[in-house]
Amino acid sequence: QVCNRELAAIPEELVQALEDRRLSNPVRKEQVQGVWELVYSAAIQKVPLLQGYMPVEEHIVFDFDKQFVSLETTLIRGVPRGLQPRFKIYPGDTFDWDAKTAELLFNLRTKEDADPKEPKTWTFLYGDEDYLLARSGLSGLNLMKRVPPAWEF
């Protein structure tokens, strides 16, 4: 797991510059596709001691071929994955990619017969082979690090 408490100080000028260039040079779905570990979230930036650092492992999968998103959190190492929180898209759920704006609208559920959650939008500001930066309407700025292909979800 990446541990970099300096991420709590991502300069707003950098984020604004990425947002300004997003429409002229949008992140492509090929850059988003894959398995990612969430290493920073603005949603917990104000929590004392954490300052945006993710104290748990949180993996997110974006699969454009299957129109699939999944989010799995490991709260306690050693506890079987099936007992950890997991959210994913089920048949009929929302998955809508806008290539012009680099925005993905999707909703997740804990199980197929659960009520669908309100769709959320992730706006992708930066993507390369190793890192992905996105702004969520719910959790704010999120930085992800690509997980090696051997990791199974």
Side-chain angles (χ1 to χ4, degrees), residues 14-34:
L14 172 61
V15 174
Q16 187 60 52
L18 291 170
E19 286 185 1
D20 290 347
R21 77 182 261 284
R22 178 176 57 89
L23 297 178
S24 63
N25 188 17
V27 174
R28 299 179 324 278
K29 67 180 180 180
E30 294 81 11
Q31 293 170 294
V32 177
Q33 174 88 12

Side-chain angles (χ1 to χ4, degrees), residues 3-146:
C3 176
N4 188 346
R5 293 179 186 267
E6 297 302 314
L7 293 176
I10 294 176
E12 189 56 38
E13 297 83 16
L14 172 61
V15 174
Q16 187 60 52
L18 291 170
E19 286 185 1
D20 290 347
R21 77 182 261 284
R22 178 176 57 89
L23 297 178
S24 63
N25 188 17
V27 174
R28 299 179 324 278
K29 67 180 180 180
E30 294 81 11
Q31 293 170 294
V32 177
Q33 174 88 12
V35 181
W36 301 89
E37 180 179 359
L38 189 61
V39 295
Y40 168 86
S41 177
I44 60 173
Q45 183 173 357
K46 294 181 181 179
V47 175
L49 302 173
L50 297 181
Q51 299 177 326
Y53 163 70
M54 296 296 296
V56 298
E57 285 185 21
E58 196 159 272
H59 292 92
I60 187 164
V61 174
F62 297 104
D63 187 328
F64 287 83
D65 297 330
K66 296 178 183 173
Q67 293 194 339
F68 178 79
V69 177
S70 181
L71 176 69
E72 183 174 306
T73 304
T74 302
L75 297 173
I76 303 170
R77 288 188 183 270
V79 173
R81 289 175 68 190
L83 299 176
Q84 304 280 0
R86 184 174 191 181
F87 301 87
K88 67 181 187 175
I89 285 181
Y90 286 93
D93 287 345
T94 301
F95 183 97
D96 186 24
W97 172 251
D98 186 331
K100 292 180 183 175
T101 61
E103 292 180 338
L104 180 62
L105 177 70
F106 63 94
N107 68 301
L108 302 171
R109 294 190 263 173
T110 54
K111 54 187 177 179
E112 192 164 7
D113 61 350
D115 289 332
K117 301 280 186 201
E118 191 70 28
K120 47 182 100 178
T121 300
W122 278 42
T123 303
F124 294 90
L125 306 176
Y126 177 81
D128 66 22
E129 291 144 14
D130 298 314
Y131 291 96
L132 195 58
L133 184 66
R135 186 178 299 278
S136 162
L138 182 62
S139 61
L141 195 63
N142 295 282
L143 179 65
M144 294 155 275
K145 180 174 175 39
R146 188 176 296 278

